[in-house]
Amino acid sequence: MAQCEQFTTPVDAVISRMRALDAGLPEHDGVAVFNRVYLTVTETVDRHIDGGRFADARAAITLDVRFAERYLAAVDRAEDERRPPACWRPLFQMRRHPGVRPLQFALAGINAHIGHDLALAVVDACRSLGCEPADLEDEFDRVGDLLVSLEERIREDLMPGPDLLQITDPLTHLLGSWSLERARDATWVAARALWALRRLPDVAEEFTERLDAAVGFAGRMLLTPLAD
């Protein structure tokens, strides 16, 4: 009997690239820590797409791939010794710092990717699909819900131990200063604003630069080295 032909989707290609990064990076490298988290998220989204859990699979795939491409482009720039976007610079600069804990690396990467890349990915997807941001809201919310559901597991997996239960622990303070839910809400507003500004390229560029810088500042705070 002839074997069924295997088709590679754009999401499969993204997952393959992330798996290659995972295999090639040192385990404790800060980028590797985030990459493992993001690989888990992307594999989950892919399973949900294959399982028909997105009403518009084409829109979900487009948004997912445009989103991932932003992160992979930042990795490429860093590997080529070019400056990545400001939102990603703290993670690449601090990736080997011994005073930064794995959970900080994971949250700093999520901050950069959600706070900056996702807004631009929504605009990229709208241009590719010829639609408005409102047409992608269901896909945006479903991907966001997956991220929120995984965030708790990420924190549990990467927490260093019982010291987090102490309110005086510096990491406890950092964890309380950033919220994925708030970041996701702000990103949706930013995406709608960027779409509304698409016919004002100078203003849109300035808005994007300021968003990039603000998210980078938050990332630098999340990566504050902590004493053991």
Side-chain angles (χ1 to χ4, degrees):
M1 182 181 294
Q3 292 184 341
C4 294
E5 185 177 357
Q6 296 293 318
F7 293 97
T8 300
T9 69
V11 179
D12 292 332
V14 164
I15 289 173
S16 294
R17 176 74 196 284
M18 290 184 195
R19 286 175 177 165
L21 285 171
D22 184 50
L25 290 172
E27 180 181 357
H28 299 293
D29 180 287
V31 177
V33 173
F34 169 73
N35 188 78
R36 287 194 294 272
V37 169
Y38 191 30
L39 175 58
T40 299
V41 171
T42 307
E43 289 172 336
T44 302
V45 171
D46 190 39
R47 288 195 297 272
H48 283 213
I49 291 171
D50 290 344
R53 297 179 67 175
F54 286 92
D56 188 338
R58 177 170 174 255
I61 290 169
T62 302
L63 179 58
D64 190 42
V65 172
R66 295 291 178 269
F67 187 30
E69 287 173 343
R70 292 273 171 183
Y71 159 62
L72 295 174
V75 172
D76 288 341
R77 291 189 68 87
E79 289 181 346
D80 294 341
E81 298 185 352
R82 293 176 291 150
R83 282 163 65 86
C87 62
W88 284 106
R89 283 175 213 156
L91 180 59
F92 286 105
Q93 290 167 352
M94 302 290 285
R95 62 192 295 179
R96 298 181 181 89
H97 197 294
V100 179
R101 301 180 190 179
L103 181 55
Q104 292 175 262
F105 288 131
L107 293 183
I110 293 170
N111 169 71
H113 205 36
I114 298 294
H116 174 265
D117 292 355
L118 184 54
L120 274 62
V122 169
V123 174
D124 292 341
C126 286
R127 287 176 173 148
S128 295
L129 296 167
C131 68
E132 300 281 327
D135 299 319
L136 295 179
E137 189 168 6
D138 287 346
E139 287 70 32
F140 178 94
D141 286 343
R142 186 169 290 277
V143 171
D145 289 343
L146 288 173
L147 287 164
V148 170
S149 68
L150 286 169
E151 185 192 17
E152 182 176 350
R153 194 179 83 191
I154 291 164
R155 290 179 183 244
E156 289 176 354
D157 289 347
L158 297 179
M159 279 182 178
D163 60 331
L164 277 189
L165 299 176
Q166 300 175 12
I167 196 169
T168 56
D169 190 293
L171 187 54
T172 304
H173 174 73
L174 284 178
L175 291 176
S177 68
W178 187 84
S179 161
L180 178 54
E181 287 272 18
R182 290 196 298 269
R184 185 180 68 166
D185 291 345
T187 291
W188 183 245
V189 173
R192 292 175 59 202
L194 281 169
W195 184 252
L197 292 170
R198 68 191 183 281
R199 295 186 179 88
L200 298 170
D202 291 345
V203 180
E205 182 179 4
E206 182 176 354
F207 182 95
T208 302
E209 289 176 354
R210 291 182 181 275
L211 176 66
D212 190 20
V215 173
F217 179 78
R220 192 164 296 281
M221 296 300 101
L222 285 170
L223 292 170
T224 300
L226 303 174
D228 291 333

